[in-house]
Amino acid sequence: MNQGTCLQDLPVDLEPEKLPRHVAVIMDGNGRWAGRRGLPRIMGHRRGVEALKALLQCSKDWGIEALTAYAFSSENWGRPLEEVNFLMSLFERILRQELQEMVAEDVQIRFVGNLSSLPLSLQAEIKHSMEMTQQNQGIKFTVATNYGGRQEIVHACQAIASQVQKGLLKPEEINEGLFEQYLYTAGISHPDLLIRTSGEMRISNFLLWQMAYSEIYVTETFWPDFNRSEFHRALFAYQKRQRRFGKI
């Protein structure tokens, strides 16, 4: 990341007061990007990391308060073992390599998902990175890892049911606000904008509760090619939307 950049880099046709506070991304197309170039899928994932780093920098430069990336779904364990192992080692290596820069750039890192199923060494790196950046306020960067929206909702229901069973909570006390306290994303604002790359028209079990009223932008571009120009187009399209939240 480059220090000292801020809103002066914002394209002139974007209005600062109309920017989304929180952007979520489904980073799709790494494998297809590599396949079209005759490269192994892992090369697509490596380039995908670079694209995510660039988007995080751009988000911080342009005044986006929060960025959430769908890094590894609970269904991704069904991919070839070699690819899964590579991704786990890649996550761990990137955390080690980038942590000091994240600290210097005032990035607050948070991981959400069923983290207990991840390799122990990766769990340790995740814990360390969150502890080292928990006071940072420059941008809130959330990484969904071994995450599934249905899994998250079931987990919340189980936790609430346990509280009711213990007599610590009454059923009539359960409302949306309380329910959100039991989600992996407790304390994180809901995304204003979801960006999905590679042209697929689905949300793939991502932030099912949180995206009830998120605006959705889909681009045909594969994730490794998603750059500032693509982000600019997504934000410009977002600013043309009228968000009614079910009202007139």
Side-chain angles (χ1 to χ4, degrees), residues 166-227:
K166 294 175 182 177
L168 301 175
L169 186 66
K170 297 178 181 178
E172 58 270 23
E173 294 175 325
I174 302 171
N175 54 35
E176 290 185 11
L178 183 138
F179 188 82
E180 290 189 357
Q181 295 175 25
Y182 289 86
L183 295 174
Y184 296 141
T185 58
I188 301 174
S189 64
H190 294 177
D192 301 296
L193 172 64
L194 168 70
I195 298 172
R196 177 160 191 152
T197 56
S198 85
E200 302 293 347
M201 303 292 286
R202 55 179 177 269
I203 58 175
S204 297
N205 199 21
F206 185 43
L207 300 177
L208 298 180
W209 173 276
Q210 298 85 344
M211 289 201 300
Y213 283 103
S214 301
E215 297 295 323
I216 299 176
Y217 176 86
V218 178
T219 174
E220 296 289 336
T221 301
F222 292 144
W223 176 250
D225 290 328
F226 192 86
N227 53 26

Side-chain angles (χ1 to χ4, degrees), residues 15-224:
E15 302 176 57
E17 65 276 8
K18 291 185 179 180
L19 288 172
R21 294 177 55 218
H22 183 177
V23 175
V25 289
I26 298 178
M27 307 178 292
D28 197 17
N30 289 347
R32 279 169 285 174
W33 180 92
R36 290 192 178 184
R37 289 161 176 77
L39 301 171
R41 288 176 59 86
I42 62 173
M43 293 302 296
H45 294 310
R46 283 176 175 159
R47 283 294 295 268
V49 168
E50 294 303 314
L52 180 57
K53 287 171 57 180
L55 180 62
L56 179 60
Q57 175 69 67
C58 186
S59 297
K60 185 170 182 287
D61 289 348
W62 291 356
I64 306 296
E65 297 177 14
L67 176 69
T68 295
Y70 201 8
F72 191 87
S73 77
S74 54
E75 290 80 21
N76 285 159
W77 295 107
R79 292 186 175 187
L81 182 60
E82 180 183 9
E83 182 175 351
V84 171
N85 288 340
F86 172 80
L87 287 170
M88 293 298 115
S89 63
L90 179 65
F91 297 157
E92 189 174 336
R93 185 167 67 252
I94 293 300
L95 276 176
R96 284 198 302 267
Q97 292 175 352
E98 302 293 332
L99 180 57
Q100 290 307 313
E101 191 171 3
M102 296 295 112
V103 172
E105 285 289 333
D106 203 25
V107 176
Q108 182 185 109
I109 308 170
R110 179 169 172 179
F111 284 77
V112 295
N114 183 11
L115 305 180
S116 63
S117 296
L118 299 174
L120 293 178
S121 56
L122 177 54
Q123 289 185 49
E125 290 295 338
I126 287 173
K127 182 174 184 292
H128 179 59
S129 69
M130 291 196 294
E131 289 174 348
M132 290 291 291
T133 64
Q134 62 184 342
Q135 301 302 321
N136 291 353
Q137 297 297 321
I139 184 170
K140 298 182 186 300
F141 179 40
T142 303
V143 185
T145 308
N146 194 25
Y147 174 91
R150 290 180 175 179
Q151 167 200 81
E152 177 182 33
I153 291 170
V154 169
H155 177 269
C157 290
Q158 290 173 335
I160 292 172
S162 176
Q163 294 293 92
V164 172
Q165 187 177 46
K166 294 175 182 177
L168 301 175
L169 186 66
K170 297 178 181 178
E172 58 270 23
E173 294 175 325
I174 302 171
N175 54 35
E176 290 185 11
L178 183 138
F179 188 82
E180 290 189 357
Q181 295 175 25
Y182 289 86
L183 295 174
Y184 296 141
T185 58
I188 301 174
S189 64
H190 294 177
D192 301 296
L193 172 64
L194 168 70
I195 298 172
R196 177 160 191 152
T197 56
S198 85
E200 302 293 347
M201 303 292 286
R202 55 179 177 269
I203 58 175
S204 297
N205 199 21
F206 185 43
L207 300 177
L208 298 180
W209 173 276
Q210 298 85 344
M211 289 201 300
Y213 283 103
S214 301
E215 297 295 323
I216 299 176
Y217 176 86
V218 178
T219 174
E220 296 289 336
T221 301
F222 292 144
W223 176 250

